[in-house]
Amino acid sequence: MERKKLLLLNPSEYEHEFDRKALKSLEGTPGLEKLARQINKHGIERAERLKQTGSHLKVNKNNFPEIYELLEEACELLFLKDIPDLYIQWNYAVNGFTTGSEKPLIVIHSGALDLLSKDEMLWLIAHEVGHVKSGHVLYHMMAQVIPIIGAVIGSATLGIGSLVSTGLEIALLYWYRMSEFTADRAGLLACQDVNVAINTLMKMSGVPKNYYEKMKTDDFIKQAKDFEGFDYDSIDKVAKALIIMDKTHPWTVMRASELLKWYESGSYEELIEKHGKDSIEELEICCLKCGHKLQGNEAFCGVCGAKVWKR
């Protein structure tokens, strides 16, 4: 299928409200900014990059070119100009992850490459590209290293340091999960086929390879829609929070439910129509805060003063 390149696509236009609210709450957490500076100061990001690049296979135009083409396509479709590095890790889960905020890199599990179709791989890679585009990666790294730092500090301070890190750790993990909803939308905006997105989430949920030909997408969609009914019951919300407290990703059925709600709201089609033009000159660029029409070369909106996003 011929996909539309989404020129000047702004990540705030498809950001999930759970992601936005969780991030706002997280940014109000005492000590967060200081911790981010310490991570950079002590070279944790560099160490993480060394760990990933020293263990996994790098994908480029000469090595696994078919996979690299999907990365290039995802970046082009989502209007991300700086292409992240891409690596393959031996792991038979249908998944991947992104790390490194200064120079992000994406790691895709070998199981995903074996078990997903080309279109499904595009959705998965674009999901990770979405994390890069939205600037999620620094806080993702922090969510991963906070438990380690807390344990080290705790052992040196008779457990007091680990107690201090607990509140920040919970806030980071909660936001980490909510950011997945935004990245799922990025995957859909790239692959531009909701059935591809749902099929990928089904495979993530654990469909055995021998049953791929018998997958019932309609049944999974019904399951996702049935799941929506639980969102309005406060007891169920608490139960969900407890069950996924130690996980960085929300349930795949929950992710499908949220993605379908967004798709069916018409917001997906609006973004495809708005940004899927043949040239930037055809776009009507407006301030996302006040709606004022922009020329396209401003750093700030002349009406409300909001900063104009550029990539």
Side-chain angles (χ1 to χ4, degrees), residues 262-289:
W262 183 67
Y263 176 77
E264 292 172 355
S265 73
S267 298
Y268 161 80
E269 288 292 348
E270 288 176 8
L271 288 178
I272 295 292
E273 177 62 27
K274 177 181 177 181
H275 292 280
K277 307 297 184 183
D278 293 330
S279 66
I280 290 177
E281 288 71 24
E282 295 180 46
L283 290 173
E284 183 175 300
I285 308 168
C286 298
C287 172
L288 293 178
K289 185 175 181 180

Side-chain angles (χ1 to χ4, degrees), residues 22-61:
L23 182 59
K24 186 176 181 180
S25 175
L26 176 62
E27 288 175 337
T29 305
L32 181 67
E33 185 179 345
K34 182 178 180 180
L35 180 61
R37 288 199 299 267
Q38 289 299 314
I39 284 178
N40 288 328
K41 176 182 176 181
H42 293 290
I44 293 176
E45 178 171 338
R46 183 170 180 270
E48 177 67 16
R49 171 169 279 273
L50 286 172
K51 181 179 78 173
Q52 300 303 335
T53 58
S55 303
H56 307 135
L57 299 170
K58 186 171 185 179
V59 175
N60 54 42
K61 291 182 179 180

Side-chain angles (χ1 to χ4, degrees), residues 19-162:
D19 179 2
R20 188 180 307 113
K21 290 177 182 177
L23 182 59
K24 186 176 181 180
S25 175
L26 176 62
E27 288 175 337
T29 305
L32 181 67
E33 185 179 345
K34 182 178 180 180
L35 180 61
R37 288 199 299 267
Q38 289 299 314
I39 284 178
N40 288 328
K41 176 182 176 181
H42 293 290
I44 293 176
E45 178 171 338
R46 183 170 180 270
E48 177 67 16
R49 171 169 279 273
L50 286 172
K51 181 179 78 173
Q52 300 303 335
T53 58
S55 303
H56 307 135
L57 299 170
K58 186 171 185 179
V59 175
N60 54 42
K61 291 182 179 180
N62 298 314
N63 199 29
F64 310 105
E66 302 87 352
I67 304 170
Y68 191 78
E69 286 173 6
L70 290 175
L71 173 64
E72 288 184 310
E73 183 178 5
C75 292
E76 189 173 31
L77 289 166
L78 294 175
F79 200 71
L80 183 73
K81 293 185 177 179
D82 295 328
I83 299 176
D85 289 338
L86 178 62
Y87 292 82
I88 300 171
Q89 175 186 5
W90 174 254
N91 185 322
Y92 228 66
V94 179
N95 221 324
F97 62 91
T98 305
T99 188
S101 62
E102 294 296 322
K103 190 179 179 185
L105 65 85
I106 295 171
V107 179
I108 296 296
H109 295 164
S110 49
L113 294 166
D114 278 350
L115 300 173
L116 297 180
S117 69
K118 184 177 179 180
D119 289 343
E120 291 163 353
M121 273 305 306
L122 176 62
W123 182 88
L124 180 62
I125 291 174
H127 169 101
E128 299 302 334
V129 168
H131 283 311
V132 177
K133 187 175 177 72
S134 290
H136 289 160
V137 190
L138 175 60
Y139 286 175
H140 279 195
M141 285 183 59
M142 290 171 65
Q144 292 161 9
V145 303
I146 281 277
I148 300 170
I149 294 174
V152 172
I153 295 174
S155 64
T157 58
L158 301 179
I160 297 173
S162 60

Side-chain angles (χ1 to χ4, degrees), residues 34 156 177 194 218 245 249 273:
K34 182 178 180 180
R177 292 191 295 272
V194 71
D218 291 342
M245 185 62 71
H249 288 63
E273 177 62 27

Side-chain angles (χ1 to χ4, degrees), residues 102-256:
E102 294 296 322
K103 190 179 179 185
L105 65 85
I106 295 171
V107 179
I108 296 296
H109 295 164
S110 49
L113 294 166
D114 278 350
L115 300 173
L116 297 180
S117 69
K118 184 177 179 180
D119 289 343
E120 291 163 353
M121 273 305 306
L122 176 62
W123 182 88
L124 180 62
I125 291 174
H127 169 101
E128 299 302 334
V129 168
H131 283 311
V132 177
K133 187 175 177 72
S134 290
H136 289 160
V137 190
L138 175 60
Y139 286 175
H140 279 195
M141 285 183 59
M142 290 171 65
Q144 292 161 9
V145 303
I146 281 277
I148 300 170
I149 294 174
V152 172
I153 295 174
S155 64
T157 58
L158 301 179
I160 297 173
S162 60
L163 289 174
V164 172
S165 72
T166 300
L168 182 55
E169 181 181 342
I170 291 172
L172 276 164
L173 286 173
Y174 178 73
W175 168 77
Y176 196 140
R177 292 191 295 272
M178 298 305 102
S179 73
E180 292 299 310
F181 294 132
T182 296
D184 285 346
R185 292 178 177 184
L188 177 56
L189 287 166
C191 79
Q192 298 175 18
D193 187 333
V194 71
N195 291 317
V196 166
I198 296 301
N199 282 346
T200 312
L201 288 168
M202 285 183 71
K203 291 180 179 180
M204 285 183 178
S205 298
V207 178
K209 183 179 180 181
N210 290 342
Y211 286 81
Y212 280 5
E213 296 299 322
K214 301 176 183 178
M215 282 170 52
K216 302 290 185 182
T217 304
D218 291 342
D219 287 352
F220 185 73
I221 290 173
K222 182 180 184 303
Q223 182 181 348
K225 289 183 178 295
D226 288 344
F227 188 85
E228 292 177 13
F230 293 103
D231 289 346
Y232 303 102
D233 189 310
S234 59
I235 296 177
D236 289 318
K237 285 183 179 179
V238 172
K240 288 176 196 172
L242 289 172
I243 291 170
I244 63 175
M245 185 62 71
D246 62 343
K247 297 181 181 295
T248 54
H249 288 63
W251 300 334
T252 49
V253 177
M254 182 192 291
R255 289 169 62 182

